[in-house]
Amino acid sequence: MIALFFRDLKLSVRAGGGAMIGVLFFMTVVSVIPFGVGPDLNLLARIGAAILWIGALLASLLGLDRLFQAEREDGSLDLMLMHETPLVLTVFVKCAAHWAATGLPLVVAAPFLGLFMNMDELAIGATMLTLLAGTPAITFIGAVGAAVAVALPRGGLLVSILVLPLAIPVLIFGVSAVYAAIEDPAPFLPPFMILMAITLFFAVIGPVAAAAALRHSAD
């Protein structure tokens, strides 16, 4: 499993520069917002957390269709299905490697973009923490969409369509936790704990559903 993790990590970085493309797309989405809403620094600070979360969500969708595509093309997907290692565990490791290559760089880039949005230290720290807790859920949700669309010739758009509605609760509670951290009356812990619960839920359900979809596509 460790070898599979590092193999997929290298493939995720090499295949189209997944990590760099995600970060560049993240930066592009965030950087165009001031041109649309104007140079009001107070407004940018208020909406900064929501913009960072929306940018991270959209950037996380990039490359999800390639999660199982390489294995499908070179025939190793059939070996994964026949291997003695449980397919659910294999899918979980592949999701972890994909998040480390594409989701973690978004968390690292968030503070720099937060400064661009005139956010203070508390808001930037809360945004980083919620992204760290919530972006894995997007990967696990995306694994299900990638497994469903793995046999389709152009499944990239379908994966985004399938994943985006399911990822809306992650966005809602991620942004709510950030705003709760910077607004005194609202408690930070309840929305953050719900965000963690969503991630843990999809960490269990996602690999199971993805493994079932992969077996169904192979039949």
Side-chain angles (χ1 to χ4, degrees):
M1 290 297 102
I2 295 176
L4 176 64
F5 176 85
F6 285 106
R7 169 189 173 274
D8 273 57
L9 187 62
K10 292 179 181 179
L11 289 177
S12 297
V13 174
R14 291 176 183 173
M20 185 58 65
I21 289 179
V23 172
L24 290 176
F25 183 80
F26 187 26
M27 293 174 59
T28 302
V29 171
V30 175
S31 61
V32 299
I33 297 301
F35 296 101
V37 302
D40 189 343
L41 295 180
N42 293 327
L43 176 60
L44 292 177
R46 288 198 303 271
I47 67 174
I51 298 304
L52 289 180
W53 252 102
I54 292 173
L57 173 60
L58 296 177
S60 298
L61 299 179
L62 298 177
L64 284 175
D65 59 312
R66 298 195 302 268
L67 194 57
F68 305 107
Q69 196 64 43
E71 286 78 7
R72 175 79 177 184
E73 292 173 354
D74 62 16
S76 58
L77 181 59
D78 295 329
L79 297 178
M80 289 170 48
L81 294 172
M82 295 184 296
H83 200 271
E84 59 183 10
T85 303
L87 184 58
V88 174
L89 181 58
T90 301
V91 172
F92 182 88
V93 172
K94 288 179 67 64
C95 291
H98 184 273
W99 176 82
T102 58
L104 190 57
L106 302 179
V107 179
V108 176
F112 304 100
L113 297 176
L115 294 175
F116 183 75
M117 298 295 291
N118 195 40
M119 297 169 61
D120 58 22
E121 295 82 358
L122 179 60
I124 291 175
T127 302
M128 282 191 67
L129 184 60
T130 54
L131 286 175
L132 185 65
T135 48
I138 301 174
T139 301
F140 289 119
I141 297 171
V144 182
V148 171
V150 69
L152 303 178
R154 296 180 180 178
L157 181 60
L158 178 60
V159 173
S160 300
I161 294 174
L162 291 175
V163 172
L164 195 55
L166 295 175
I168 294 300
V170 181
L171 174 66
I172 292 174
F173 288 103
V175 176
S176 299
V178 176
Y179 284 140
I182 59 180
E183 296 176 1
D184 291 334
F188 169 75
L189 219 57
F192 182 73
M193 294 300 291
I194 294 175
L195 179 64
M196 290 290 297
I198 293 174
T199 298
L200 293 175
F201 174 78
F202 283 111
V204 175
I205 299 298
V208 174
L214 288 175
R215 292 191 184 279
H216 183 269
S217 65
D219 293 339

